[in-house]
C-alpha cells in the first residue's frame, strides 16, 4: 500500500479533500493511505467526522510535543512555520510507521493518473523531486518545487529526509533558507549523489501556473499529452497554487495575480486546454463541498 501525506488548515480543507478524491476515485489506483496533518482543530474535527476510507488524520499539536518543532514554532511566523511541516511530518511518518516509502503532496495538488507512476519512475533511487521547469537551479525561487516529494525507507532515503527536516528547522545553510523549504532541495543531488536522487521530469508531466506557458497542447485533448521541449508527456498532476473561487457567485481567480509575470499577465489561462483544467478543478472543489463540507 502506498503511503501519501499532506497538510492544511480549514482554509485549504476543500483542496485537501479534492486531492483525496483524485486519489480515491481512480479505477486503476494502487491501494493507498493518505495521512493528513491538520493545522487547526476545525480541520481535525471535520475529517474525523467524515471518517473517509484510506484517510488518517493527525493533530499538529501532537508533533509539537517534540522540542525541536516547538522551538521552531517560536522563532518564525506562521507562514514560515507551515513551510517547516512538510519535511517534519514526512520524517515523522517514515520513522514511526511501517512504510516502504512516504510521498508528500501539497494539498492543492490534483492527480489525473495514479501516483504510482511517479514512484515507478524513481525505481532504484532513494528520493524523487520535481523541477519548477520555468527557472534554473540556483535561481532565487529555487529550481525545484516541494509540491510533490518522495522518499524511500532506505538508509539513504531516510538520511536525505532527515537532512532536509533539520535544515529547515535550523534554517541552515543560510543561502538555501530564503524560500521556505524548497531551495534546500537543490542540495539533495550535490550532497547525496545522482545515484540516490531522481528528478522525475524526464518521465513525469506536471503543470502549475508558473510552467503552463512552456507547453504545447496539440495532443492534449485526444491523448492527455503535453509537449515540453522535445518531450511529449502524460499530464500526471497539476499544482493549483493560489487558486481562489466563490461557488455561490461562480467566480474564480486562477492565481490571484501572484504569477502574472509567469503567465503573460494571465493570458496563459485563456489557452483552451489550461482553462479546461481550471474548470474541472473548480467543479471538483464544488463537488467536494457538496459531498463533505
Amino acid at each position: 500500500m502506498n503511503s501519501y501525506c499532506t497538510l492544511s488548515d480549514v482554509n485549504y480543507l476543500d483542496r485537501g479533500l479534492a486531492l483525496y478524491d483524485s486519489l480515491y476515485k481512480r479505477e486503476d489506483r494502487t491501494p493507498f493511505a493518505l495521512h493528513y496533518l491538520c493545522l487547526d482543530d476545525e480541520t481535525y474535527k471535520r475529517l474525523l467526522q467524515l471518517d473517509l476510507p484510506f484517510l488518517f488524520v493527525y493533530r499538529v499539536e501532537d508533533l509539537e510535543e517534540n522540542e525541536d518543532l516547538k522551538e521552531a514554532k517560536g522563532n518564525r511566523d506562521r507562514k514560515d512555520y507551515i513551510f517547516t511541516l512538510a519535511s517534519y511530518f514526512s520524517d515523522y511518518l517514515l520513522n514511526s510507521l511501517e512504510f516502504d516509502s512516504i510521498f508528500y503532496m501539497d494539498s492543492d495538488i490534483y492527480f489525473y493518473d495514479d501516483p504510482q507512476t511517479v514512484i515507478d519512475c524513481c525505481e532504484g533511487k532513494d528520493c524523487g523531486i520535481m523541477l519548477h521547469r520555468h527557472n534554473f537551479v540556483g535561481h532565487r525561487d529555487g529550481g525545484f518545487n516541494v509540491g510533490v516529494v518522495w522518499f524511500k525507507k532506505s538508509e539513504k532515503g531516510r538520511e536525505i529526509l532527515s537532512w532536509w527536516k533539520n535544515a529547515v528547522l535550523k534554517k541552515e545553510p543560510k543561502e538555501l533558507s530564503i524560500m521556505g523549504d524548497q531551495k534546500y532541495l537543490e542540495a539533495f543531488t550535490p550532497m547525496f549523489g545522482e545515484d540516490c536522487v531522481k528528478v522525475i521530469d524526464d518521465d513525469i508531466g506536471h503543470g502549475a501556473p508558473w510552467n503552463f506557458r512552456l507547453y504545447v497542447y496539440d495532443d492534449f485533448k485526444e491523448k492527455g499529452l503535453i509537449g515540453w521541449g522535445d518531450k511529449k508527456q502524460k499530464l500526471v498532476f497539476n499544482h493549483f497554487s493560489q487558486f481562489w473561487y466563490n461557488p455561490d457567485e461562480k467566480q474564480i481567480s486562477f492565481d490571484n495575480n501572484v504569477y502574472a509575470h509567469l503567465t503573460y499577465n494571465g493570458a496563459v489561462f485563456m489557452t483552451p486546454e489550461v482553462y479546461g483544467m481550471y474548470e474541472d478543478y473548480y467543479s471538483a472543489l464544488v463537488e467536494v463541498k457538496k459531498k463533505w463540507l
Side-chain angles (χ1 to χ4, degrees):
M1 178 179 290
N2 288 337
S3 299
Y4 311 137
C5 67
T6 193
L7 55 89
S8 85
D9 62 13
V10 71
N11 296 310
Y12 265 56
L13 179 55
D14 54 347
R15 276 80 161 173
L17 285 169
L19 166 63
Y20 164 83
D21 211 27
S22 76
L23 301 171
Y24 180 78
K25 68 185 181 183
R26 294 201 55 80
E27 293 181 359
D28 59 343
R29 64 172 163 79
T30 304
F32 74 97
L34 178 61
H35 300 265
Y36 204 117
L37 182 63
C38 304
L39 305 187
D40 52 35
D41 286 338
E42 188 171 356
T43 302
Y44 183 71
K45 290 174 182 176
R46 289 192 183 190
L47 289 180
L48 275 184
Q49 290 170 352
L50 289 174
D51 192 26
L52 296 170
F54 312 125
L55 184 67
F56 302 88
V57 296
Y58 301 75
R59 298 168 66 250
V60 70
E61 289 83 1
D62 293 336
L63 269 65
E64 291 169 350
E65 294 175 0
N66 296 303
E67 289 299 322
D68 51 3
L69 191 58
K70 191 182 300 183
E71 180 181 350
K73 186 178 182 181
N75 65 28
R76 58 201 72 188
D77 62 27
R78 175 171 172 76
K79 182 179 179 181
D80 205 14
Y81 177 62
I82 291 172
F83 286 141
T84 307
L85 295 172
S87 56
Y88 201 97
F89 188 43
S90 299
D91 184 76
Y92 168 80
L93 292 170
L94 195 62
N95 286 292
S96 62
L97 300 174
E98 294 299 319
F99 298 158
D100 294 328
S101 66
I102 191 67
F103 193 162
Y104 172 79
M105 307 165 175
D106 275 352
S107 59
D108 51 3
I109 295 284
Y110 193 87
F111 276 88
Y112 307 103
D113 197 7
D114 193 333
Q116 180 66 40
T117 61
V118 179
I119 297 173
D120 288 345
C121 90
C122 295
E123 185 176 359
K125 305 289 186 177
D126 302 282
C127 171
I129 55 179
M130 69 169 176
L131 294 168
H132 270 124
R133 293 190 168 184
H134 73 286
N135 59 21
F136 54 89
V137 173
H139 189 279
R140 187 189 184 283
D141 293 340
F144 299 96
N145 182 261
V146 177
V148 302
V149 193
W150 175 83
F151 297 94
K152 185 178 180 180
K153 194 169 191 174
S154 59
E155 181 179 351
K156 278 293 182 181
R158 294 169 74 169
E159 184 181 349
I160 298 168
L161 178 51
S162 178
W163 180 88
W164 184 34
K165 178 195 77 170
N166 289 319
V168 176
L169 283 170
K170 299 172 184 175
K171 295 192 174 184
E172 295 286 351
K174 293 297 183 187
E175 65 270 19
L176 300 180
S177 68
I178 59 175
M179 282 300 294
D181 55 354
Q182 71 183 13
K183 269 191 72 70
Y184 297 103
L185 303 186
E186 294 185 346
F188 284 10
T189 301
M191 288 187 64
F192 299 99
E194 292 182 357
D195 290 344
C196 298
V197 181
K198 169 70 175 181
V199 178
I200 68 172
D201 292 72
D202 284 343
D203 306 280
I204 300 296
H206 55 85
W210 47 83
N211 59 34
F212 283 131
R213 76 185 192 280
L214 306 179
Y215 300 148
V216 176
Y217 298 96
D218 293 348
D219 294 315
F220 186 75
K221 184 176 181 180
E222 297 297 326
K223 301 178 181 178
L225 300 177
I226 55 173
W228 176 51
D230 62 353
K231 299 179 185 300
K232 287 191 176 181
Q233 298 179 320
K234 188 173 184 180
L235 185 68
V236 177
F237 60 87
N238 268 332
H239 192 166
F240 289 99
S241 179
Q242 300 294 331
F243 180 78
W244 175 90
Y245 71 113
N246 181 339
D248 297 326
E249 302 294 334
K250 294 185 178 179
Q251 296 175 330
I252 69 170
S253 173
F254 299 100
D255 66 346
N256 277 320
N257 212 36
V258 172
Y259 304 114
H261 60 302
L262 300 172
T263 64
Y264 304 125
N265 287 319
V268 74
F269 299 118
M270 295 301 103
T271 306
E273 294 81 4
V274 176
Y275 189 86
M277 296 176 200
Y278 278 84
E279 277 194 317
D280 291 344
Y281 189 57
Y282 170 82
S283 297
L285 292 171
V286 170
E287 181 183 353
V288 159
K289 280 186 172 289
K290 286 180 180 177
K291 286 196 300 187
W292 294 319
L293 299 175

